[in-house]
Amino acid sequence: MTRLMRRRPAQMRGAARVDRLLDACGELLDEVGYDALTTRAVAARAGSSIGSFYRFFDDKNQLVRAFGERNLERYLDQIARRIETGRPSGWADLLDTVFDEYVAQRRSVPGFGVVDFALAGGDDASQRLADQLGELITRMFDRPTSGELRRALRVAVETADALVRLAFRDDPGGNPALLREARAVVRCYLATYLD
């Protein structure tokens, strides 16, 4: 996997600066898009110097990869919290939790709609997420994840992502009818492997 940062912050102050840079990245991705995103604009939005930016990141691409990685970590942490507060009764409930959290992140995290978890440079975010789902299914429902199920989970992740993007293209808040359809399509597809 490509390095996500030039240098990891050693102190809390540096970690806070990196968080501000990643937050600014997300805001600007929503405002200007990936192509128009610049390191100077990110540094300025974060209230940081360009030198400080380059202390942590080589370039815009490395920043965006780190942003996607942070999104994935936060998404998985939020799913874990949701599961702790209300354990899903079956795989379909787990799928609903995962789907609902993805939609919630899309609605609330600046830049998520542009980048979500996309990690350029050799790491396949959909496979990583599918693997995480497989681990949850194995752990929660004592169901081993075969190669066939791993592939199906990856297809489900990619399908859900495409359909959610469509729902948000139709309506900035996510077209409710299309989101229902997306959930139904993924449930129906995975039922073949999990029922």
Side-chain angles (χ1 to χ4, degrees):
M1 184 170 92
T2 320
R3 277 185 327 152
L4 291 174
M5 295 179 69
R6 172 181 282 200
R7 182 182 119 194
R8 295 228 175 259
Q11 298 177 351
M12 286 179 49
R13 188 175 55 164
R17 187 173 300 132
V18 167
D19 270 343
R20 285 194 306 274
L21 288 166
L22 294 173
D23 290 344
C25 174
E27 293 167 6
L28 287 166
L29 282 168
D30 275 348
E31 292 171 21
V32 302
Y34 177 82
D35 291 336
L37 184 74
T38 66
T39 57
R40 286 198 182 281
V42 169
R45 174 68 60 93
S48 195
S49 70
I50 193 69
S52 185
F53 175 93
Y54 285 113
R55 190 172 301 129
F56 297 107
F57 300 102
D58 289 334
D59 55 23
K60 161 177 117 169
N61 294 328
Q62 194 177 53
L63 170 74
V64 171
R65 283 192 304 272
F67 177 74
E69 180 69 21
R70 183 179 78 166
N71 285 349
L72 182 59
E73 289 171 4
R74 287 181 172 180
Y75 173 69
L76 294 172
D77 287 346
Q78 191 59 32
I79 288 170
R81 277 194 281 285
R82 281 181 165 215
I83 289 170
E84 283 174 17
T85 59
R87 184 175 173 83
S89 61
W91 71 265
D93 285 344
L94 175 62
L95 177 68
D96 286 346
T97 299
V98 168
F99 186 87
D100 290 344
E101 186 55 37
Y102 184 79
V103 171
Q105 296 283 315
R106 180 76 191 242
R107 287 179 175 145
S108 65
V109 176
F112 192 91
V114 178
V115 172
D116 70 26
F117 318 123
L119 307 175
D123 199 5
D124 185 340
S126 66
Q127 186 63 63
R128 284 182 65 201
L129 186 52
D131 290 344
Q132 292 287 326
L133 290 173
E135 288 174 22
L136 282 171
I137 289 167
T138 298
R139 190 171 66 242
M140 295 178 73
F141 309 114
D142 196 27
R143 182 175 194 125
T145 308
S146 65
E148 186 178 39
L149 180 55
R150 273 186 86 226
R151 184 180 61 249
L153 289 169
R154 185 176 182 203
V155 168
V157 166
E158 288 286 345
T159 301
D161 181 57
L163 294 173
V164 169
R165 285 183 185 279
L166 174 63
F168 279 86
R169 198 167 57 234
D170 265 20
D171 176 344
N175 180 309
L178 288 175
L179 290 172
R180 281 191 304 276
E181 291 292 326
R183 183 190 311 268
V185 165
V186 174
R187 268 184 170 215
C188 186
Y189 171 71
L190 285 177
T192 306
Y193 297 89
L194 291 168
D195 274 347

